[in-house]
């Protein structure tokens, strides 16, 4: 979602063997084929694309796991590297947990360099773009160091010519680079840290009156709740998203999937209205996801950095 927002284009295919995630993808993109388990895909027969996007499993690197790294059976990066070798995309965008920086990331960077990609990466918290939770994630942008090598197996050359854009080519823009639009977006910094660094005071509570304060720009209909000390953070995210927070728990006092969906910055029902999903599948998909606004801010910064590097090597 973030890559499409920043770069444009449309999905050519997806690859996800998880039943719940696959159902969500099919619901939103019914015409897009799902290749299933990417470790079993013959990439030579897959349509080339301009951008490859992936959030490969974090369990090998997460501090919450056994931290087996590249020795973990769930470490599928070698299969992704193989896909990049065959597909030769212009860009690749990946996301993982911050712990990946200390475990296994050197292998990723070495493979990307061997395959002819330059890499930029950063850590961005969801809270830096206004979300009421930290959710720090690692974002990686790989750009083909030699664009002339794109599709070196000849499949692109047999396709559309320069005057006839391929079906999934990125939309033209105005940055001096064909098909790319870069806009600098500075994410919100942690308010208290920003105030301390600048020697000033933290910004005023965006909703000093609590949930009962009239906010006409917010869509009505969601239940009110007493969020206690979390009220400013909840109110900030409500303002950014333009809608009230759903109740945090359901009628059985369990975590409410629509509330998690809201925390993740998704439109209401993006996951919870998908037919046939169990509550467990909903929470698994949401828990494994990324706040799109967070990924968008990270991608814009990485593109800006990559563009600056090209202009000033």
């Amino acid at each position: 979602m973030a890559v499409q927002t920043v770069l444009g284009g449309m999905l050519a295919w997806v690859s996800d063997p998880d039943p719940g995630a696959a159902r969500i993808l099919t619901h939103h993109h019914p015409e897009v084929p799902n290749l299933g388990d990417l470790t079993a895909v013959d990439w030579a027969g897959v349509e080339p694309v301009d951008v490859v996007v992936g959030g490969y499993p974090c369990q090998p690197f997460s501090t919450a796991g056994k931290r087996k790294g590249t020795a973990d059976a769930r470490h599928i990066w070698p299969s992704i590297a193989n896909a990049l070798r065959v597909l030769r995309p212009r860009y690749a965008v990946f996301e993982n947990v911050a712990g990946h920086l200390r475990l296994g990331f050197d292998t990723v960077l070495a493979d990307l360099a061997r395959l002819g990609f330059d890499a930029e990466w950063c850590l961005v918290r969801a809270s830096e773009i206004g979300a009421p939770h930290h959710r720090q994630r690692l974002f990686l942008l790989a750009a083909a160091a030699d664009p002339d090598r794109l599709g070196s197996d000849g499949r692109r050359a047999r396709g559309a010519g320069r005057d006839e854009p391929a079906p999934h080519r990125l939309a033209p823009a105005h940055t001096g680079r064909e098909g790319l639009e870069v806009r600098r977006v500075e994410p919100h910094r942690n308010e208290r840290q920003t105030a301390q660094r600048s020697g000033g005071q933290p910004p005023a509570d965006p909703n000093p009156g609590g949930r009962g304060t009239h906010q006409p720009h917010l869509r009505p209909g969601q239940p009110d709740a007493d969020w206690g000390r979390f009220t400013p953070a909840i109110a900030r995210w409500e303002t950014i998203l333009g809608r009230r927070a759903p109740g945090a728990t359901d009628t059985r006092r369990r975590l409410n999937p629509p509330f998690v969906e809201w925390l993740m910055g998704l439109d209401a029902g993006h996951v919870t209205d998908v037919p046939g999903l169990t509550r467990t599948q909903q929470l698994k998909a949401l828990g494994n996801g990324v706040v799109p606004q967070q990924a968008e801010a990270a991608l814009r910064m990485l593109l800006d950095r990559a563009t600056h590097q090209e202009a000033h090597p």
Side-chain angles (χ1 to χ4, degrees), residues 2-311:
V3 169
Q4 286 186 293
T5 297
V6 176
L7 295 177
M10 62 183 188
L11 289 176
W13 40 262
V14 296
S15 174
D16 202 317
D18 181 82
R23 189 179 291 271
I24 296 169
L25 289 166
T26 299
H27 177 75
H28 290 287
H29 310 284
E31 304 302 322
V32 175
N34 189 338
L35 306 180
D37 182 0
L38 65 83
T39 65
V41 172
D42 178 9
W43 296 105
V46 174
E47 177 184 0
V49 291
D50 291 297
V51 185
V52 168
V53 185
Y56 48 98
C58 66
Q59 292 92 336
F61 324 111
S62 174
T63 55
K66 296 182 179 179
R67 295 182 59 78
K68 292 184 177 181
T70 57
D72 196 303
R74 294 163 295 190
H75 177 61
I76 62 172
W77 170 256
S79 296
I80 296 175
N82 181 55
L84 297 178
R85 178 186 63 81
V86 176
L87 295 173
R88 302 302 308 164
R90 182 176 181 180
Y91 293 104
V93 180
F94 299 107
E95 170 273 337
N96 216 292
V97 294
H100 190 18
L101 278 176
R102 298 182 179 86
L103 191 61
F105 196 58
D106 55 341
T107 301
V108 171
L109 294 179
D111 285 345
L112 288 172
R114 177 175 53 82
L115 292 169
F117 290 92
D118 292 329
E120 298 282 350
W121 63 94
C122 65
L123 293 174
V124 176
R125 295 183 178 93
S127 57
E128 290 180 306
I129 51 90
H133 49 110
H134 284 166
R135 201 173 189 83
Q136 181 171 246
R137 290 295 182 269
L138 168 67
F139 294 93
L140 167 67
L141 170 68
D146 182 4
D148 292 337
R149 292 182 57 202
L150 290 175
S152 56
D153 60 3
R155 286 182 292 167
R156 288 179 190 260
R158 292 195 297 271
R162 290 185 179 271
D163 297 329
E164 182 183 351
H168 301 289
R169 190 174 299 281
L170 303 179
H174 308 286
T175 61
R177 299 159 85 194
E178 177 189 356
L180 182 63
E181 178 182 6
V182 178
R183 287 179 291 162
R184 180 75 174 184
V185 173
E186 291 289 353
H188 297 281
R189 301 299 177 189
N190 179 277
E191 296 164 351
R192 189 165 298 279
Q193 289 179 349
T194 301
Q196 289 173 347
R197 291 170 185 167
S198 64
Q201 296 298 319
D205 184 343
N207 185 14
R211 289 297 299 277
T213 300
H214 180 55
Q215 295 174 287
H217 58 287
L218 295 179
R219 294 198 296 274
Q222 299 292 359
D224 282 343
D226 180 6
W227 298 101
R229 64 188 179 92
F230 300 108
T231 296
I234 294 293
R236 180 180 64 238
W237 198 228
E238 287 181 325
T239 300
I240 292 171
L241 296 184
R243 72 178 192 274
R244 297 282 194 188
T249 57
D250 61 18
T251 56
R252 297 172 59 182
R253 303 185 68 81
R254 302 176 301 176
L255 180 62
N256 189 22
F259 176 67
V260 182
E261 189 174 59
W262 177 85
L263 286 174
M264 293 300 292
L266 297 168
D267 289 339
H270 184 86
V271 170
T272 56
D273 284 351
V274 174
L277 281 187
T278 66
R279 176 179 175 276
T280 298
Q281 287 175 322
Q282 291 176 6
L283 291 174
K284 179 181 179 181
L286 292 167
N288 285 331
V290 177
V291 177
Q293 299 89 337
Q294 170 191 11
E296 180 182 337
L299 181 55
R300 291 192 191 282
M301 287 192 291
L302 292 175
L303 283 167
D304 184 67
R305 189 186 302 170
T307 303
H308 181 78
Q309 289 291 344
E310 286 187 4

